[in-house]
Structures are given as C-alpha cells and as structure tokens.
Amino acid sequence: MPATFPSSSTLAASDAVQDYRRRGWTVAETANGVCLITDEQIAAVELTGPLAAEVRRFLRANNLSGPVIEIPGAERREIHLVVGAAKATLAIEALHSAGAIVHTDGASIPLPPTRLSTGSANWAISPTEARWTPPVVAISAAVRAAAAARHHLTDVAC
C-alpha cells in the first residue's frame, strides 16, 4: 500500500487550528473549515458596506485594530474579533442600532482558512499581525465615530 501524506492545505489548516487553540479560542473543525465558537472570552462584530470601511479606517488611525476577517461577496463584509462582550450591554445595543451583528454565546464564526460557498474567508488583519484583541466598546466607539463623520459630511454638503 502506498504511503499517503497530508496535503499542504491540510497541514496549514492544522497549524492554524493549533494557533487558534493556543490563543485560548474554542474552535470546531467542520467540512467547510475551521470555525470560532464565541464564548465569554471572545465574540465578534460583523459590519458591512461603507460602515465596515469607515470603522476599519478609524481603528487603524487610532491604533486600535485587532483581528479582522474579510468575507468575500458582492458587498464588503468584515468580522472584528473582540473581547469584553459580557460587560458591554450598552455598546452591543448601540452596535445593533447601527446595523452591526454581534456574535456571542456560542455563535460559529468561519476562521481562515475556511471555504465558504462564495469563496474563502481571509484575514484582513491576522491575529499574529494584531497587537491585541480590542474590547467590543472600541468597535462601538468606531461605529459611533463613523456615524458622526457621515452626519457631519451630510450637514456640510447641504
């Protein structure tokens, strides 16, 4: 019987799973790839469209960026990994009001390398590139700042 060797993509996925677990993340391996299971330690904030771009610019300008997953598709879609959701009820309510989706309490988030029906999820900012995992209140502040900037531009244009 000939020897079989794992493919390079299988090895990369295995290395990624080990790295995620070393970070203390709960991950599940599925047929589509690896998923983060949100818990009391880590959650995720999903943003779409222009709001996602504005929030990313705000976080970068203020050196607050953390791990960000890009989900391919017709509209920009990003998932920011965050901490501190258990004690941030008002921030989460504000995010919901702004149109964000906050994934907590066992939600499953695709982690790169993950194959989705529309393409592959990719790290926009990988956990190794990020200096930290920001608290959910930092993302909420970025959303608030983006909304205020958009409102200010509307006022100036009129």
Side-chain angles (χ1 to χ4, degrees):
M1 182 156 133
T4 59
F5 298 96
S7 70
S8 60
S9 63
T10 303
L11 290 173
S14 178
D15 288 346
V17 167
Q18 293 308 314
D19 181 51
Y20 299 150
R21 287 185 176 145
R22 277 192 294 275
R23 295 175 185 286
W25 299 353
T26 301
V27 294
E29 296 181 68
T30 69
N32 291 329
V34 181
C35 291
L36 170 71
I37 308 302
T38 61
D39 56 23
E40 63 280 345
Q41 301 299 315
I42 191 139
V45 176
E46 185 173 339
L47 304 168
T48 57
L51 179 60
E54 292 170 24
V55 165
R56 178 102 71 94
R57 276 192 292 276
F58 176 89
L59 294 171
R60 188 177 308 139
N62 291 287
N63 198 26
L64 297 172
S65 299
V68 179
I69 302 166
E70 288 181 335
I71 305 294
E75 184 176 44
R76 180 185 195 121
R77 188 170 148 214
E78 295 182 346
I79 299 175
H80 295 257
L81 300 186
V82 295
V83 297
K87 297 181 180 183
T89 305
L90 293 177
I92 291 171
E93 288 174 8
L95 286 165
H96 286 155
S97 294
I101 299 169
V102 182
H103 301 278
T104 60
D105 302 324
S108 179
I109 306 298
L111 291 174
T114 300
R115 190 85 187 130
L116 302 171
S117 59
T118 58
S120 295
N122 299 302
W123 285 114
I125 302 173
S126 75
T128 56
E129 295 172 319
R131 71 175 184 90
W132 72 332
T133 302
V136 69
V137 294
I139 305 301
S140 182
V143 167
R144 208 169 36 255
R150 193 176 316 136
H151 179 71
H152 176 71
L153 290 175
T154 303
D155 288 349
V156 171
C158 293

